[in-house]
Amino acid sequence: MAEEFDAIIVGAGQSGPFLAVRLAEQGQEVALIDREHLGGTCVNDGCTPSKTLIASTRAAWTVGVGNLTLRAGQIFINTSASAAIPDWPGLADVPYLTNTTMMELEAVPDHLVIASASYVGLEFAQMYARFGAKVTVIERAKRLAPREDEDISAATRAILEAGDVSFLVDSAIEEATATKRGVRISFRSNDRIGSVEGSHLLVALGRSPNSSDLDLCAAGLDTGARGYMSVDDHLRTKVTGIWAIGDINGRGAFTHTWYNDYEIVANSVIDRRSIANRIPVYGLFIDPPLGRIGMTEAEVRDSGWAAMIATYPMANVARAHERGETQGLIKVLVDSSSGRILGAAVLGIGGDEVVHSLLQPMAAGTSYEQMMQTVHIPPTVSELIPTVLAGLKPLE
């Protein structure tokens, strides 16, 4: 016998529970399904990606949960993602850590080898280097955090190397082998073959969406090669009545974007709202942190947009000198015709907070000229924003 609902939410990540409450407040009968925890990865694993949430469910206007069959006119899939595990030869035979099991370590590793200079990998690298571990990061790309601009990537590397983190870039891992001391990682860098041996291995290659066990074909749905569900700006799938929210839709892999997905879906179902105008924003939480919004310099160049650019070293910021943290830089990109902010990066003391002083004017469409006319409180990092904008030059 099937139970009838107005809406079914599969997965209780950052989007699901809030959406369930919102729909219930509208008088709808709602079923919220999850394999393990409420709240998703951020709440249950310290705001780092982790293995949680549902592993096996069916969706075809009906959802099977154990021996139950649930039916609803609205189904919301919020099954999150898990740590991506590569198929390197030997990896299955060695003890390795993910960003979830890293939380379970009871002692500092002698030598932590981290596969990939991803955001999570870099945060753990600095963390454990400060705890006293020897840390080596192996990155396939030619630089760390490769989707950032080259100057931001270089400055980030300088900060971490100053904290005793070692990097092997342009190095493709080929094999993992168990040793008496832990694990040996073999890699190829151009024509050179090398290896590094550590006591612990952290695999930090990003996230894979939890979609493979959902039997989406039964509902007329499919995913791309990477497993993400395709959605429109209202987070609707191609099947009427089915939405995909959170990082399973590939439209943002951060806690704040997942919560915004809930807001978008709730408002698009009850009112009207979309993600079309959502401004990309995120942080890399090393110390000092990186705050990023909007377009990178590379993206602006690729777009052909007529733009201006300004950069400013944190070494010229009084607050940075007061705290003895002068590494990093501020970068702002502006549309030449309208004067509106296109994107910004603040790598340095308080960068994750300071970037919001540009994010809000960006969302409001405020021109940089108006921002330069405001008076800021000294001595802060934000007070330098008008100074930075005064240095805008054509992007050539």
Side-chain angles (χ1 to χ4, degrees):
M1 180 176 178
E3 295 187 39
E4 299 287 339
F5 295 87
D6 295 306
I8 296 173
I9 301 172
V10 183
Q14 282 291 301
S15 304
F18 296 101
L19 181 60
V21 171
R22 182 70 180 275
L23 295 174
E25 289 175 345
Q26 299 297 314
Q28 296 194 31
E29 292 288 332
V30 182
L32 177 62
I33 304 165
D34 196 274
R35 181 182 182 183
E36 191 171 3
H37 300 297
L38 290 177
T41 56
C42 183
V43 172
N44 294 291
D45 293 285
C47 278
T48 58
S50 62
K51 292 182 179 178
T52 58
L53 306 178
I54 202 159
S56 181
T57 306
R58 290 179 69 92
W61 298 103
T62 62
V63 176
V65 185
N67 294 324
L68 295 176
T69 298
L70 311 182
R71 289 196 177 97
Q74 301 174 108
I75 295 177
F76 304 91
I77 300 177
N78 180 216
T79 51
S80 193
S82 301
I85 306 301
D87 58 356
W88 299 326
L91 183 63
D93 300 320
V94 304
Y96 63 86
L97 298 161
T98 67
N99 33 35
T100 300
T101 54
M102 280 293 293
M103 300 294 186
E104 301 169 2
L105 286 182
E106 296 181 355
V108 175
D110 292 328
H111 183 187
L112 176 62
V113 179
I114 300 178
S116 178
S118 63
Y119 299 101
V120 171
L122 296 179
E123 291 173 12
F124 276 118
Q126 185 183 58
M127 182 191 310
Y128 276 89
R130 288 184 171 184
F131 286 158
K134 179 180 179 181
V135 178
T136 302
V137 180
I138 305 175
E139 170 57 46
R140 185 185 187 94
K142 294 183 178 180
R143 55 189 177 88
L144 54 89
R147 75 178 182 187
E148 300 296 339
D149 289 327
E150 289 190 19
D151 52 355
I152 299 295
S153 176
T156 301
R157 178 171 180 170
I159 289 170
L160 295 173
E161 286 182 329
D164 296 326
V165 178
S166 299
F167 291 95
L168 295 169
V169 297
D170 199 13
S171 300
I173 293 176
E174 296 195 332
E175 186 178 13
T177 308
T179 67
K180 291 182 179 180
R181 293 187 56 229
V183 61
R184 180 170 57 251
I185 300 299
S186 301
F187 61 89
R188 179 180 295 274
S189 182
N190 296 319
D191 294 329
R192 183 175 67 89
I193 297 175
S195 66
V196 59
E197 185 172 345
S199 60
H200 295 72
L201 169 65
L202 167 62
V203 177
L205 271 69
R207 307 280 282 167
S208 295
N210 293 330
S211 59
S212 60
D213 293 329
L214 289 175
D215 195 12
L216 296 173
C217 291
L221 293 167
D222 52 24
T223 63
R226 299 180 61 195
Y228 292 106
M229 298 180 66
S230 179
V231 294
D232 64 13
D233 286 343
H234 298 277
L235 304 180
R236 297 172 297 203
T237 68
K238 67 179 183 179
V239 176
T240 302
I242 300 181
W243 287 257
I245 54 180
D247 50 5
I248 196 169
N249 62 34
R251 302 294 286 267
F254 304 97
T255 298
H256 53 277
T257 57
W258 302 334
Y259 185 82
N260 185 242
D261 278 4
Y262 139 70
E263 296 177 309
I264 296 297
V265 169
N267 281 275
S268 65
V269 171
I270 300 168
D271 303 308
R272 294 292 293 172
R273 190 174 173 184
S274 80
I275 64 170
N277 296 319
R278 182 162 72 188
I279 298 171
V281 55
Y282 60 86
L284 167 59
F285 294 103
I286 59 172
D287 182 21
L290 166 66
R292 271 271 298 113
I293 57 172
M295 303 173 72
T296 65
E297 178 183 341
E299 289 170 338
V300 173
R301 290 184 182 278
D302 290 343
S303 72
W305 213 306
M308 295 183 290
I309 186 172
T311 59
Y312 197 84
M314 294 299 293
N316 291 350
V317 178
R319 173 55 64 87
H321 279 281
E322 292 170 4
R323 293 277 296 273
E325 299 180 15
T326 58
Q327 294 174 299
L329 70 151
I330 302 172
K331 177 192 288 191
V332 183
L333 292 136
V334 170
D335 176 28
S336 296
S337 58
S338 68
R340 296 175 62 172
I341 304 295
L342 296 176
V346 183
L347 174 60
I349 177 175
D352 52 337
E353 294 286 348
V354 176
V355 75
H356 290 90
S357 66
L358 288 166
L359 175 61
Q360 292 305 116
M362 183 177 177
T366 305
S367 71
Y368 81 92
E369 291 97 338
Q370 290 174 288
M371 295 175 61
M372 289 177 63
Q373 294 169 8
T374 59
V375 179
H376 293 64
I377 302 171
T380 62
V381 180
S382 295
E383 71 161 313
L384 271 299
I385 295 301
T387 303
V388 174
L389 295 173
L392 284 166
K393 298 179 180 179
L395 183 64
E396 299 176 347

